[in-house]
Amino acid sequence: MKYSANSTALSQANAVFVAVFEDGTLSPSAQQLDTRNEISDLIKSGDISGKIDEITAFRRQNQHIILVGAGKPGEINERQFKQISQKAFQAVKATSAQTLVNALTEVSIKDRDLYWNVRFGLEAIATESYVFDQFKSKKTDPIKLQNIIFHTDDKQAQLAVQHAAAIALGVKSARDLANCPPNVCNPSYLAAQAKTLEKRTALLTAAVLGEKEMAELGMHAYLGVSQGSKNEAQLAVMTYKNHPNPHAKPIVLVGKGLTFDAGGISLKPAADMDEMKYDMCGAASIFGVMNALVELQLPLNVIGVMAGCENLPDGNAYRPGDILTAMNGLTVEVLNTDAEGRLVLCDTLTYVERFEPECVIDVATLTGACVVALGQHNSGLIATDDALAEQLLQASQQTQDKAWRLPLSEEYQEQLKSPFADLANIGGRWGGAITAGAFLSNFTKKYRWAHLDIAGTAWLQGANKGATGRPVGLLTQFLINQCR
């Protein structure tokens, strides 16, 4: 699907979105189309009231006119705007229309400008049009719609299309990767995706570390998790260089890539275990961000790392009571083999010291405790640097890819004490999302660091089961902001 922004004549499109407000007023484009009073008559008859989420469609010759209820003028918020954009898209998706003019650009979103109107509209439509049917014998009928034109000539709107289209590509890349079954998407498959991305652009190179190289580096915490699986752990490093100063310090993004997490010897319950293929959503989101970055060609140096691994309970699996030596020399007593993500990440976070990073942000489906604390709406944010935390929260607010900062103080380290090793890999029941972050902080002393726990936001359950692609939007916006 192609996106653009210009003031194409409404009459030239197969389909048009126009807004009707709750006070009976029409948006300028709706007024322009109301030459025969068809829209006014619908308001007078009560067939449309302009309430948010109300959709009325009619056909005039070869054109589908979609009337979209936009509530009270100037009072619609970001979430409501995304909802009406998606619902309007549902109405046009089943038609034969190939070109859509989206005149919802005339709807004012509270405390937002036209740039964000277009950003939210495009990203909402891209989300609504997403289909994952790679493993179905009968494919979903393709959408006939090919072109979506946002009805404005504003240069900021054109920039919004550029940004949103790249983010939509990144989100789709992350969702496609995360939705793959674990018998396909294993650590080697993750690494292969990095190599495939390398072929798309001269700005990015990819390198892969296998278990032999990890052992030579002393990454025994990472390898301890992997030893119960026949699929070798793979650490994929994607290096993007486009900063005007080639020696500029890189921003490093690290993603947990547990392509399947059975819990190891501390086996998970059978119910919903199929969803543990989503334990690599951190890595998938980093892959999505790197795709968006390549599309945008931002003037930055960025390194994306996908830490691929499996956690399975065979006869060689690591055990509760084992003591592992991490790459930085700290020893870790394993109290629960299902707290494996932090063991994979701690060595990866030590590994990336070699890049002398400007900052490091890791993304992980790390703890069920974060879901208990924040639900499925906010990702948990932990940081050792206040400025970095504020930058991520700003990007979160801008994109509505929401995050909430959790505290991090020395008291939480007390819960990680072990009588036999430097650290225990769990800190008990209380504050589990925070103690997991506190554990990781022991391996991030040499750079500015932030951690995003996406256990509650990375995928949906139930009828809409599947990966969400979060936090690709947040992280890509963070990178965009670094260029200003």
Side-chain angles (χ1 to χ4, degrees), residues 53-81:
D53 262 5
E54 186 180 57
I55 304 291
T56 301
F58 66 91
R59 186 165 179 165
R60 179 190 290 167
Q61 295 179 342
N62 294 322
Q63 188 175 55
H64 299 271
I65 298 175
I66 315 295
L67 306 178
V68 184
K72 295 177 181 178
E75 292 192 10
I76 194 169
N77 61 32
E78 300 97 331
R79 182 169 176 270
Q80 291 168 329
F81 184 76

Side-chain angles (χ1 to χ4, degrees), residues 19-64:
V20 178
F21 297 98
E22 215 170 308
D23 62 1
T25 60
L26 305 178
S27 65
S29 291
Q31 293 175 29
Q32 186 179 333
L33 291 173
D34 196 30
T35 53
R36 304 174 192 173
N37 295 321
E38 292 162 300
I39 301 174
S40 297
D41 289 343
L42 286 168
I43 293 173
K44 289 177 184 177
S45 66
D47 289 329
I48 185 168
S49 67
K51 289 183 178 178
I52 288 175
D53 262 5
E54 186 180 57
I55 304 291
T56 301
F58 66 91
R59 186 165 179 165
R60 179 190 290 167
Q61 295 179 342
N62 294 322
Q63 188 175 55
H64 299 271

Side-chain angles (χ1 to χ4, degrees), residues 15 80 192 249 363:
Q80 291 168 329
K249 291 184 176 183
V363 187

Side-chain angles (χ1 to χ4, degrees), residues 233-247:
Q234 302 269 288
L235 186 72
V237 181
M238 298 168 284
T239 302
Y240 170 92
K241 287 189 175 181
N242 197 31
H243 198 286
N245 175 8
H247 303 295

Side-chain angles (χ1 to χ4, degrees), residues 76-97:
I76 194 169
N77 61 32
E78 300 97 331
R79 182 169 176 270
Q80 291 168 329
F81 184 76
K82 289 180 181 180
Q83 287 175 334
I84 68 171
S85 297
Q86 288 178 327
K87 200 162 184 182
F89 186 73
Q90 289 172 7
V92 77
K93 195 163 57 170
T95 71
S96 58

Side-chain angles (χ1 to χ4, degrees), residues 400-421:
Q400 291 295 288
D401 188 349
K402 296 181 179 179
W404 190 266
R405 190 176 184 183
L406 299 170
L408 182 66
S409 55
E410 291 182 10
E411 292 85 355
Y412 294 103
Q413 295 287 351
E414 295 293 319
Q415 294 175 237
L416 296 168
K417 286 186 174 180
S418 162
F420 307 114

Side-chain angles (χ1 to χ4, degrees), residues 201 203-205 238-243 250-251 290 293-304:
T201 176
L203 296 176
L204 184 143
T205 58
M238 298 168 284
T239 302
Y240 170 92
K241 287 189 175 181
N242 197 31
H243 198 286
I251 296 167
M290 299 307 286
L293 187 60
V294 165
E295 195 72 12
L296 291 171
Q297 297 190 11
L298 296 180
L300 297 169
N301 290 343
V302 181
I303 297 174

